[in-house]
Every structure is written in structure tokens, then in C-alpha cells.
Amino acid sequence: MAWSIQWSPAGPPRWWTRCKGDCGATCHCQDATDSARKPTAPQCPPQPVRTSPLLGQLKPNRVLIVAPLDGQDRLKEQMALMQTLAGALRAKAGVDVVESPRRVCEACFPIHSGRFDERKLVELGNQHFVDTVLYCNIESIDAYSPMRLEIQFLAINVAQSVAIVSGSHSFDLADPAMRECFFAAMNADPAVDTTLKNSPTRLIDFGATRVAAALARTWK
């Protein structure tokens, strides 16, 4: 049976005050508030995640990640997405994650078709002993500067055949806030580490880690 899915390079300023030393001479001493100032990590622009009202009852414990057989010669990129997403989910969500050795054709991929086969879903669940199947794919990627990546994902509970989480997250380095977040995550300086501006593999790692963090927040 098929089911439809509804759904600033400069550091902080140093402030100084005038004070009297024990000897009575005038000296400069650093304001105590300066030492308390710490640079904050840049925040990535928030991106929406759609969740089912049943998610609280169907939180994943063991997840199978499935990627599509891409017809646009993106097999290497799709596998990189799966591997990084799996590792990040294990670390951030504390769930068991299995990477599927089998991929699904684009025409049958639930994210693209909007439908999934309940029998195939149960078959995957029984074969890999998982309670949740997470479909993910690179919908689009632009490797030229400024790079851009779009990752789509859909998590389905096997026992209930219910879509519990879905989303489409875009990572566009033409956006100053996203670019700042990307280079900060890479511990890199955009003025020095210029090769990162044309490294789609690093952008996939960045995007997959952000998607894993978003999923982990919804699964808590």
C-alpha cells in the first residue's frame, strides 16, 4: 500500500580606566569588565524543520539512512552526505545509525515522489533492525564560488508508517551570515583559507552536520 506524505576581524575593544596605585602615582589598569568579554561564535541562519504531532511518541532509537541513486552523477556527493550525516547523528542525537548499502531510484525516492511503500518500509526495518528510516539527498549543489548546497531529508517511523520529521535546508555562501558560520565551523579565515570557497566536500560536511544538529534537537 502506498501512503501520501502531507505535509569582525578586530577583537573586542580594550577599555581602560584611571586609578591610583599604592604609591599614589597615576597608572593605567584594565577594566575588570574587559576580561569578562568573550567573542561569541556566529549563529547560522535558522532553517525550518517540519515535525509530526506524533514525534513525541515515536522518537528514533535506531535509524537507517537511505540515499537516492542520483541520475546526475552525484553518487560520490550523496555517499559523502550519508557518511557525514550518520557520524554527526551518532554524536549529536545519541542514536544508533546504519548506512544503507542499497539506494533508491530517483523516481521512487519518497522525498521526490511524495509517496512511500509501506511494505518496502517494513522490509527495510526488519532487514536492518531499525525503527526509523531517514531518507536524505543532495537536491542541488553549486561548486563554484559562492557555493550553494540544498539538503532534503525525511524521517519515517517504520512501525506506524508515519512521517515524523522532514525539511529542506539551504546553505548559500552568498549569504554573509551563512558564509561567516561556515568559515567559523572550519576554524578558517576567509581571507587566508581561500581554497575553502571552492570545496564542495567541506560544504557537504558542514551542511550534513547542521542537518544532524537540527534533527537531534527535534528528537530530544
Side-chain angles (χ1 to χ4, degrees):
M1 181 181 297
W3 293 72
S4 297
I5 304 169
Q6 301 294 332
W7 283 104
S8 72
R14 298 173 65 86
W15 300 99
W16 299 82
T17 58
R18 304 282 290 182
C19 65
K20 293 286 186 176
D22 292 339
C23 62
T26 301
C27 62
H28 290 283
C29 53
Q30 191 175 2
D31 189 342
T33 58
D34 180 54
S35 60
R37 292 189 182 93
K38 294 183 180 179
T40 57
Q43 296 296 311
C44 291
Q47 305 205 46
V49 175
R50 296 183 294 274
T51 60
S52 165
L54 299 175
L55 177 58
Q57 307 168 38
L58 304 175
K59 292 182 179 180
N61 291 306
R62 184 173 167 86
V63 179
L64 174 70
I65 300 182
V66 180
L69 273 172
D70 197 289
Q72 300 178 29
D73 299 323
R74 290 201 201 111
L75 180 58
K76 180 180 178 181
E77 287 80 2
Q78 299 286 13
M79 296 307 295
L81 169 63
M82 176 191 287
Q83 292 165 4
T84 303
L85 184 57
L89 276 176
R90 293 185 188 105
K92 296 178 179 294
V95 297
D96 290 336
V97 182
V98 180
E99 299 170 40
S100 175
R102 296 168 51 192
R103 290 173 292 279
V104 180
C105 67
E106 287 249 28
C108 303
F109 204 59
I111 293 177
H112 294 154
S113 67
R115 303 174 68 84
F116 61 88
D117 189 308
E118 182 181 7
R119 288 171 296 182
K120 291 182 179 179
L121 187 70
V122 172
E123 179 185 342
L124 284 173
N126 292 337
Q127 181 180 356
H128 297 280
F129 304 102
V130 298
D131 55 73
T132 305
V133 175
L134 174 62
Y135 295 96
C136 68
N137 77 299
I138 294 176
E139 178 62 18
S140 64
I141 184 168
D142 188 346
Y144 296 98
S145 182
M147 296 187 297
R148 183 183 181 280
L149 168 70
E150 182 182 353
I151 297 175
Q152 297 180 336
F153 53 92
L154 168 67
I156 303 175
N157 178 270
V158 174
Q160 300 298 323
S161 296
V162 171
I164 55 174
V165 178
S166 67
S168 178
H169 286 188
S170 177
F171 306 93
D172 189 350
L173 299 193
D175 179 351
M178 185 65 73
R179 184 170 61 252
E180 182 182 10
C181 186
F182 170 71
F183 278 94
M186 299 295 116
N187 294 314
D189 183 341
V192 176
D193 302 289
T194 55
T195 58
L196 281 177
K197 296 177 181 179
N198 295 286
S199 178
T201 300
R202 302 298 292 275
L203 183 59
I204 291 171
D205 289 346
F206 171 78
T209 301
R210 292 304 176 280
V211 168
L215 290 170
R217 286 193 296 271
T218 65
W219 293 349
K220 285 184 178 179

